[in-house]
Amino acid sequence: MDEPSMPTSPAHSPGPPAPPIPLAELLASKDLGLRRIAGPADADLLWVHTSEMADPYPYLLGGELLLSAGVLLTDPDHYVGRLVEAGAAALGFGVRPVYEAVPEALIEACDRYGLPLLEVPPETPFTTIARAVWRLMAEARHRELRRVTRAQQALATAAARPDPVPAVLHQLATQLSGRAVLLTARSEEVHAAGRRPPPEAAAALTRLTRVVARERPGSPASATDTHGGTHLAAYALGGGEGLVLALATRQRESGDHTVAGIAVVLLSLLAAPHQGADAADRSAALVRLLLGATPAEVAPLLGPDGPWTVIHARRSDGTTPDALTAGALGASLGSALVDAGREDDDGTVRVLLPATAREAPPQGDDGEEPGEPEEPPRARTVPPHPGWTLGVSTPTPLPALAAADTRAARALAHAEATRTPLTVDAPVAGLAALIPPGQAAAHARTLLAPLTPSLADTLRCWLSLHGSWDRTAVALSVHRNTVRQRIGRCAELLDVDLNDMDVRTELWFALRQE
């Protein structure tokens, strides 16, 4: 029997890497030979962890399938009680070489505490079980990604219809197999789609919408509840109209929250009846982008306020923002063009912001414009936002947004590594600005040709952080030893001494041309 001393789940993962895996799916893997001998049949697995400690409680995150051969098992009742207290999902007990069979006292304790107990045969290594769980998780994640992608495309297509709000609600109800209702702050139904829930659940959903109604000061952006097996959710829409999206579904699947978040963003844009022509055009541009249009195609709809600034943002406390929180950040920045990302990604929110703004023309006493020349566009400054860490690109023409997106990501990594609330990607200036861009780019390509993109990114980040191993590791989300290995490889491939300031200067100049 294999007895790994390290947990088989990622030690530094901030959350589950994929949707939870039903215990039944793991038991269905006949090649593992697992058998449930105690406890309930239903459980959701988030991790796999191996431990032979007498009390592994301090090292559990919750949701684990804990694997053990019982090396230090002395008090099964206390042991199982601590596992349940820690939130473990199930216990896998390996027979031999320590025990010839699963102890009866352990079986009784698992039945008493309601913890699923699996018998692991001697020919099944624990590492094989771990690999099976991660394979099932990867498959579940791919299914979720495909489902969310299909839902996003369907909702975006519905938003482009002549009757967008009812169409989006109908598509949302179809995607979630439930009821979708658009309500006023006073719970008056505006549009609805999908099968009606039972009367008691419908009444509970109405009460839930009042929790998020904007008419109440300090109302939360979203709320959830369960009533008689029906899952309920309410989301406050942006736009200042006090509208609420209410959902009732018989089952809750992985990705439902992401699908609902996409609908919230679209409905916030589409259901605002008083938006002006400019806002309507920008909403149309967002829908076009969701449908796969290129920046050049939507440029006329985005308006004359270019160039554009790309902003990458993450919550300072490490939490993953939902679509409503991301929308609130966009609103505070002055843009409805917000990408809230996904629930299971790194929590980055992206905002597309016009880099300039125009002052309103002065008005005469009678409300008519006096005829003075219109104020020229002024540069828009992005201020720090409490609770957020921001990386900001320099103003960029629309066709170059992809490069600006990369620069904003680098700026965010730099801000997190240096623990500053905001970092702006600095434009090429000083002596570097005197060199023709074409010649500078050609020189950079030649100089950096031996490096892979990953090595070039590491070198750029390391130089920008003044050669700090720890800060570079934070910015790249890797171990500091990995940074040392990559920088050493860069020095070897380039055949240079990276302690030489002249070398660092030339490399920094070349890396800034990308």
Side-chain angles (χ1 to χ4, degrees):
M1 176 79 61
D2 288 353
E3 297 182 8
S5 59
M6 294 292 289
T8 52
S9 58
H12 303 290
S13 295
I21 300 302
L23 178 61
E25 287 193 21
L26 184 64
L27 292 173
S29 300
K30 300 299 184 183
D31 56 325
L32 297 177
L34 303 179
R35 185 168 66 95
R36 183 178 62 86
I37 58 176
D42 295 330
D44 288 331
L45 310 180
L46 298 178
W47 318 97
V48 179
H49 186 81
T50 299
S51 174
E52 296 300 344
M53 300 183 68
D55 181 15
Y57 174 93
Y59 302 95
L60 300 182
L61 300 172
E64 290 91 352
L65 167 61
L66 179 66
L67 302 175
S68 174
V71 174
L72 298 179
L73 181 66
T74 57
D75 186 346
D77 189 82
H78 176 75
Y79 181 78
V80 174
R82 290 287 282 172
L83 295 185
V84 172
E85 185 180 352
L91 172 63
F93 193 87
V95 296
R96 298 182 196 163
V98 182
Y99 287 88
E100 290 297 318
V102 181
E104 284 295 328
L106 184 63
I107 296 174
E108 294 172 1
C110 286
D111 273 329
R112 187 162 50 252
Y113 282 98
L115 180 69
L117 175 61
L118 312 183
E119 180 187 68
V120 182
E123 63 272 12
T124 301
F126 286 173
T127 51
T128 301
I129 299 174
R131 284 195 293 267
V133 170
W134 294 116
R135 175 179 55 79
L136 290 172
M137 284 186 168
E139 293 172 355
R141 183 173 186 180
H142 287 314
R143 289 195 299 270
E144 179 191 358
L145 287 172
R146 288 195 297 269
R147 175 174 178 254
V148 170
T149 299
R150 288 195 299 266
Q152 177 177 341
Q153 293 171 345
L155 289 170
T157 301
R161 290 172 55 89
D163 52 347
V165 173
V168 168
L169 288 173
H170 172 75
Q171 193 56 242
L172 180 62
T174 300
Q175 295 294 329
L176 301 183
S177 300
R179 178 80 166 173
V181 188
L182 185 64
L183 302 165
T184 67
R186 299 182 180 181
S187 301
E188 299 166 340
E189 187 175 298
V190 180
H191 295 288
R195 181 178 300 177
R196 292 181 180 274
E200 298 82 2
L205 184 60
T206 300
R207 292 192 295 271
L208 190 65
T209 60
R210 297 195 184 105
V211 174
V212 301
R214 295 298 191 188
E215 289 188 345
R216 298 178 54 186
S219 299
S222 62
T224 60
D225 196 6
T226 303
H227 190 281
T230 301
H231 300 283
L232 311 175
Y235 302 86
L237 302 186
E241 301 298 324
L243 297 176
V244 176
L245 171 64
L247 303 174
T249 58
R250 293 296 298 175
Q251 59 184 6
R252 182 173 296 170
E253 297 183 14
S254 178
D256 281 0
H257 185 68
T258 302
V259 174
I262 295 170
V264 166
V265 173
L266 288 174
L267 290 171
S268 296
L269 294 168
L270 298 169
H274 302 301
Q275 64 178 352
D278 182 64
D281 285 345
R282 291 173 186 269
S283 299
L286 175 60
V287 172
R288 291 283 303 281
L289 285 172
L290 287 171
L291 290 170
T294 65
E297 290 175 311
V298 301
L301 293 175
L302 287 172
D305 293 331
W308 295 83
T309 295
V310 179
I311 301 172
H312 280 219
R314 289 198 196 106
R315 295 291 299 173
S316 302
D317 58 7
T319 59
T320 300
D322 57 21
L324 296 175
T325 304
L329 173 66
S332 66
L333 289 167
S335 176
L337 302 179
V338 180
D339 175 15
R342 288 174 38 79
E343 290 178 83
D344 60 355
D345 67 5
D346 62 358
T348 300
V349 174
R350 298 190 299 178
V351 181
L352 186 59
L353 184 70
T356 58
R358 293 182 180 274
E359 298 285 357
Q363 300 288 317
D365 294 337
D366 56 356
E368 295 293 329
E369 296 184 12
E372 285 87 342
E374 183 179 329
E375 289 286 339
R378 56 183 173 82
R380 187 188 295 251
T381 301
V382 177
H385 278 61
W388 292 88
T389 302
L390 305 181
V392 184
S393 77
T394 49
T396 305
L398 199 64
L401 283 183
D405 184 60
T406 300
R407 293 198 301 272
R410 292 172 183 166
L412 175 59
H414 190 281
E416 290 184 321
T418 56
R419 298 183 180 180
T420 55
L422 183 147
T423 296
V424 178
D425 175 63
V428 176
L431 294 175
L434 301 178
I435 302 176
Q439 296 180 16
H443 173 72
R445 285 193 298 270
T446 302
L447 181 62
L448 303 174
L451 302 184
T452 65
S454 175
L455 290 177
D457 286 341
T458 302
L459 181 59
R460 180 188 298 103
C461 185
W462 182 72
L463 290 173
S464 73
L465 294 169
H466 309 293
S468 170
W469 308 110
D470 291 331
R471 288 184 173 183
T472 305
V474 170
L476 297 177
S477 299
V478 298
H479 195 276
R480 66 196 308 271
N481 288 343
T482 302
V483 177
R484 288 184 178 274
Q485 292 169 358
R486 291 181 182 177
I487 295 302
R489 183 60 175 157
C490 289
E492 179 184 344
L493 291 172
L494 296 173
D495 192 22
V496 295
D497 178 9
L498 289 177
N499 291 318
D500 188 323
M501 183 54 66
D502 289 338
V503 171
R504 290 194 183 193
T505 300
E506 184 173 8
L507 288 173
W508 178 244
F509 169 78
L511 289 163
R512 290 289 292 163
Q513 306 311 308
E514 294 188 339

